[in-house]
Coordinates of all heavy atoms in Angstrom, one line a residue:
R1 N 0.8 -1.2 0.0 CA 0.0 0.0 0.0 C 0.9 1.2 0.0 O 1.8 1.4 0.8 CB -0.9 0.0 1.2 CG -1.9 1.2 1.3 CD -2.6 1.2 2.6 NE -3.6 2.2 2.6 CZ -3.4 3.5 2.7 NH1 -2.1 4.0 2.8 NH2 -4.4 4.4 2.7
A2 N 0.6 2.2 -0.9 CA 1.4 3.4 -1.0 C 0.6 4.6 -0.6 O 1.1 5.4 0.2 CB 1.8 3.6 -2.5
C3 N -0.7 4.7 -1.0 CA -1.5 5.8 -0.7 C -2.9 5.6 -1.3 O -3.2 4.6 -1.9 CB -0.9 7.1 -1.3 SG -0.7 7.1 -3.1
T4 N -3.8 6.6 -1.1 CA -5.1 6.5 -1.7 C -5.0 7.4 -3.0 O -4.1 8.3 -3.1 CB -6.2 7.0 -0.8 OG1 -6.0 8.4 -0.6 CG2 -6.2 6.3 0.5
E5 N -6.0 7.2 -3.8 CA -6.1 8.0 -5.1 C -6.2 9.5 -4.7 O -5.6 10.4 -5.4 CB -7.2 7.6 -5.9 CG -7.0 6.2 -6.6 CD -8.2 5.8 -7.4 OE1 -9.2 5.4 -6.9 OE2 -8.1 6.0 -8.7
H6 N -6.9 9.8 -3.6 CA -7.1 11.2 -3.2 C -5.9 11.9 -2.7 O -5.8 13.1 -2.6 CB -8.2 11.3 -2.2 CG -9.6 10.8 -2.7 ND1 -10.3 11.4 -3.6 CD2 -10.2 9.7 -2.4 CE1 -11.4 10.8 -3.9 NE2 -11.4 9.7 -3.2
E7 N -4.9 11.1 -2.3 CA -3.6 11.7 -1.7 C -2.7 12.1 -2.8 O -1.7 12.9 -2.6 CB -2.9 10.7 -0.8 CG -3.7 10.5 0.5 CD -3.0 9.4 1.3 OE1 -3.0 8.2 0.9 OE2 -2.5 9.8 2.4
V8 N -2.9 11.7 -4.1 CA -2.0 12.1 -5.2 C -2.5 13.4 -5.7 O -3.6 13.5 -6.2 CB -2.0 11.0 -6.3 CG1 -1.1 11.4 -7.4 CG2 -1.6 9.7 -5.7
P9 N -1.7 14.5 -5.6 CA -2.1 15.8 -6.1 C -2.3 15.8 -7.6 O -1.7 15.0 -8.3 CB -0.9 16.7 -5.7 CG 0.2 15.9 -5.2 CD -0.3 14.5 -5.0
C10 N -3.0 16.8 -8.1 CA -3.3 16.9 -9.5 C -2.0 17.2 -10.3 O -1.8 16.7 -11.4 CB -4.3 18.1 -9.7 SG -5.9 17.7 -9.1
L11 N -1.1 18.1 -9.8 CA 0.1 18.5 -10.5 C 1.3 17.7 -10.1 O 2.2 17.5 -10.9 CB 0.3 20.0 -10.4 CG -0.7 20.9 -11.0 CD1 -0.4 22.3 -10.7 CD2 -0.8 20.6 -12.5
G12 N 1.4 17.4 -8.9 CA 2.7 16.8 -8.3 C 2.5 15.3 -8.0 O 1.6 14.7 -8.5
G13 N 3.4 14.9 -7.1 CA 3.3 13.5 -6.7 C 3.2 13.3 -5.2 O 3.2 14.3 -4.4
F14 N 3.0 12.1 -4.8 CA 2.9 11.7 -3.4 C 4.1 10.8 -3.0 O 4.4 9.9 -3.7 CB 1.6 11.0 -3.1 CG 1.4 10.6 -1.7 CD1 0.9 11.4 -0.8 CD2 1.9 9.3 -1.3 CE1 0.7 11.1 0.6 CE2 1.7 8.9 0.1 CZ 1.1 9.8 1.0
C15 N 4.8 11.1 -2.0 CA 6.0 10.3 -1.5 C 5.5 9.2 -0.6 O 4.9 9.5 0.4 CB 7.0 11.2 -0.8 SG 8.4 10.2 -0.3
A16 N 5.7 8.0 -1.0 CA 5.4 6.8 -0.1 C 6.6 6.0 0.2 O 7.6 6.0 -0.6 CB 4.4 5.9 -0.9
T17 N 6.6 5.3 1.4 CA 7.7 4.5 1.8 C 7.2 3.1 1.8 O 6.2 2.7 2.5 CB 8.2 4.9 3.2 OG1 8.6 6.3 3.1 CG2 9.4 4.1 3.6
L18 N 7.9 2.2 1.1 CA 7.6 0.8 1.0 C 8.2 0.1 2.2 O 9.0 0.6 2.9 CB 8.1 0.2 -0.3 CG 7.7 0.8 -1.6 CD1 8.2 0.1 -2.8 CD2 6.1 0.8 -1.6
P19 N 7.8 -1.2 2.5 CA 8.2 -1.9 3.7 C 9.7 -2.1 3.8 O 10.3 -2.2 4.9 CB 7.5 -3.2 3.6 CG 6.3 -3.0 2.8 CD 6.7 -1.9 1.8
D20 N 10.4 -2.1 2.7 CA 11.9 -2.2 2.7 C 12.6 -0.9 2.8 O 13.8 -0.8 2.6 CB 12.4 -3.0 1.5 CG 12.2 -2.3 0.2 OD1 11.6 -1.2 0.2 OD2 12.8 -2.7 -0.8
A21 N 11.9 0.2 3.1 CA 12.4 1.5 3.3 C 12.6 2.3 1.9 O 13.1 3.4 1.9 CB 13.7 1.6 4.1
T22 N 12.3 1.7 0.8 CA 12.4 2.3 -0.5 C 11.3 3.4 -0.5 O 10.2 3.2 -0.2 CB 12.1 1.3 -1.6 OG1 13.1 0.4 -1.6 CG2 12.1 2.0 -3.0
Q23 N 11.7 4.6 -1.0 CA 10.8 5.7 -1.1 C 10.4 5.8 -2.6 O 11.3 5.8 -3.5 CB 11.3 7.0 -0.6 CG 11.4 7.1 0.9 CD 11.9 8.5 1.3 OE1 12.5 9.2 0.6 NE2 11.5 8.9 2.5
V24 N 9.1 5.9 -2.9 CA 8.7 6.1 -4.3 C 7.8 7.3 -4.4 O 7.2 7.8 -3.4 CB 7.9 4.9 -4.8 CG1 8.8 3.6 -4.8 CG2 6.7 4.6 -3.9
A25 N 7.8 7.9 -5.6 CA 6.9 9.0 -5.8 C 5.8 8.5 -6.7 O 6.0 7.9 -7.8 CB 7.6 10.2 -6.5
V26 N 4.5 8.8 -6.3 CA 3.4 8.3 -7.1 C 2.7 9.5 -7.8 O 2.5 10.5 -7.2 CB 2.3 7.6 -6.2 CG1 1.1 7.1 -7.0 CG2 3.0 6.4 -5.4
F27 N 2.5 9.3 -9.1 CA 1.9 10.4 -9.9 C 0.7 9.9 -10.7 O 0.5 8.7 -10.9 CB 2.9 10.9 -11.0 CG 4.1 11.5 -10.4 CD1 5.2 10.7 -10.1 CD2 4.2 12.9 -10.1 CE1 6.4 11.3 -9.6 CE2 5.3 13.4 -9.6 CZ 6.4 12.7 -9.3
K28 N -0.2 10.9 -11.1 CA -1.3 10.6 -12.0 C -1.1 11.4 -13.2 O -0.9 12.6 -13.2 CB -2.6 10.9 -11.3 CG -3.8 10.5 -12.2 CD -5.1 10.8 -11.4 CE -6.3 10.4 -12.3 NZ -7.6 10.7 -11.6
S29 N -1.3 10.7 -14.4 CA -1.2 11.4 -15.7 C -2.2 10.7 -16.6 O -2.1 9.5 -16.8 CB 0.2 11.4 -16.2 OG 0.2 12.1 -17.5
N30 N -3.1 11.5 -17.2 CA -4.1 11.0 -18.1 C -4.8 9.8 -17.5 O -4.9 8.7 -18.2 CB -3.4 10.6 -19.5 CG -2.8 11.8 -20.2 OD1 -3.4 12.9 -20.1 ND2 -1.7 11.6 -20.8
D31 N -5.3 9.9 -16.3 CA -6.1 8.9 -15.6 C -5.3 7.6 -15.4 O -5.9 6.5 -15.1 CB -7.4 8.5 -16.4 CG -8.3 9.7 -16.4 OD1 -8.3 10.5 -15.4 OD2 -9.0 9.9 -17.4
T32 N -4.0 7.6 -15.4 CA -3.1 6.5 -15.1 C -2.2 6.8 -14.0 O -1.7 7.9 -14.0 CB -2.3 6.0 -16.4 OG1 -3.3 5.7 -17.4 CG2 -1.5 4.8 -16.1
Y33 N -2.0 5.9 -13.1 CA -1.0 6.1 -12.0 C 0.3 5.5 -12.3 O 0.4 4.5 -13.0 CB -1.6 5.5 -10.7 CG -2.8 6.3 -10.2 CD1 -4.1 5.9 -10.5 CD2 -2.6 7.5 -9.4 CE1 -5.1 6.6 -10.0 CE2 -3.7 8.2 -9.0 CZ -4.9 7.8 -9.2 OH -6.0 8.5 -8.8
Y34 N 1.4 6.2 -11.9 CA 2.7 5.8 -12.1 C 3.5 5.9 -10.8 O 3.2 6.8 -10.0 CB 3.4 6.7 -13.1 CG 2.8 6.6 -14.5 CD1 1.8 7.6 -14.8 CD2 3.2 5.7 -15.4 CE1 1.2 7.6 -16.1 CE2 2.6 5.7 -16.7 CZ 1.6 6.6 -17.0 OH 1.0 6.6 -18.2
A35 N 4.5 5.1 -10.6 CA 5.4 5.2 -9.4 C 6.8 5.1 -9.9 O 7.2 4.3 -10.7 CB 5.1 4.1 -8.4
V36 N 7.7 6.1 -9.4 CA 9.1 6.1 -9.8 C 9.9 6.2 -8.5 O 9.3 6.6 -7.4 CB 9.4 7.3 -10.7 CG1 8.7 7.1 -12.0 CG2 9.2 8.6 -10.1
A37 N 11.1 6.0 -8.5 CA 12.0 6.2 -7.4 C 11.9 7.6 -6.9 O 11.8 8.6 -7.7 CB 13.4 5.8 -7.7
Q38 N 12.0 7.8 -5.6 CA 11.9 9.2 -5.0 C 13.2 9.9 -5.2 O 13.3 11.1 -5.2 CB 11.6 9.1 -3.5 CG 11.7 10.3 -2.7 CD 10.7 11.4 -3.1 OE1 10.0 11.4 -4.0 NE2 10.7 12.4 -2.2
T39 N 14.3 9.2 -5.5 CA 15.6 9.8 -5.6 C 16.0 10.0 -7.1 O 16.0 9.0 -7.9 CB 16.7 8.9 -5.0 OG1 16.3 8.6 -3.6 CG2 18.1 9.5 -5.0
C40 N 16.4 11.2 -7.5 CA 16.8 11.5 -8.8 C 18.2 10.9 -9.0 O 19.1 11.0 -8.2 CB 16.9 13.0 -9.1 SG 17.4 13.4 -10.7
P41 N 18.4 10.2 -10.1 CA 19.7 9.6 -10.4 C 20.9 10.6 -10.6 O 22.0 10.2 -10.6 CB 19.5 8.7 -11.6 CG 18.4 9.3 -12.3 CD 17.5 9.9 -11.2
H42 N 20.5 11.8 -10.9 CA 21.6 12.8 -11.3 C 22.5 13.1 -10.1 O 23.7 12.8 -10.1 CB 20.9 14.1 -11.8 CG 21.8 15.2 -12.0 ND1 21.6 16.5 -11.7 CD2 23.1 15.2 -12.6 CE1 22.6 17.3 -12.0 NE2 23.5 16.5 -12.5
Q43 N 21.9 13.6 -9.0 CA 22.8 13.9 -7.8 C 22.2 13.4 -6.5 O 22.5 13.8 -5.5 CB 23.0 15.4 -7.7 CG 23.9 15.9 -8.8 CD 24.4 17.4 -8.6 OE1 23.9 18.1 -7.7 NE2 25.3 17.8 -9.4
R44 N 21.3 12.4 -6.7 CA 20.7 11.6 -5.6 C 19.9 12.4 -4.6 O 19.7 12.1 -3.4 CB 21.8 10.9 -4.8 CG 22.8 10.1 -5.6 CD 22.4 8.9 -6.3 NE 21.9 7.9 -5.4 CZ 21.1 6.9 -5.7 NH1 20.7 6.8 -7.0 NH2 20.6 6.1 -4.9
Y45 N 19.2 13.5 -5.1 CA 18.3 14.2 -4.2 C 17.0 13.5 -4.2 O 16.5 13.0 -5.2 CB 18.0 15.7 -4.8 CG 19.2 16.6 -4.7 CD1 19.9 17.0 -5.8 CD2 19.6 17.1 -3.4 CE1 21.0 17.8 -5.7 CE2 20.7 18.0 -3.3 CZ 21.4 18.3 -4.4 OH 22.4 19.2 -4.3
R46 N 16.4 13.4 -3.0 CA 15.1 12.8 -2.8 C 14.0 13.8 -2.9 O 13.4 14.2 -1.9 CB 15.1 12.1 -1.4 CG 16.0 10.9 -1.4 CD 15.9 10.2 -0.1 NE 16.9 9.1 -0.1 CZ 17.1 8.3 1.0 NH1 16.4 8.5 2.1 NH2 18.0 7.4 0.9

C-alpha cells in the first residue's frame, strides 16, 4: 500500500515508503497512476 487516489495531487506526486524503506513518488497522468523512485539519479536528491 502506497497511498489513496485522493492523496495524489493533481500536478505533483505523493511520496510513499515501502516496507523495505524504499521511497517512491506516485503520480497521476491521463487517468493512469505511475510510481518512480523518489531519488533522482543525477545527484541523488530525494
Side-chain angles (χ1 to χ4, degrees):
R1 184 186 185 286
C3 58
T4 66
E5 290 180 282
H6 299 292
E7 290 177 294
V8 180
C10 294
L11 295 176
F14 180 87
C15 180
T17 303
L18 302 181
D20 68 351
T22 299
Q23 289 186 333
V24 297
V26 180
F27 296 92
K28 182 178 182 182
S29 180
N30 298 324
D31 295 324
T32 301
Y33 289 96
Y34 300 91
V36 300
Q38 170 68 347
T39 305
C40 180
H42 175 220
Q43 290 190 353
R44 313 289 300 160
Y45 289 109
R46 292 183 181 179

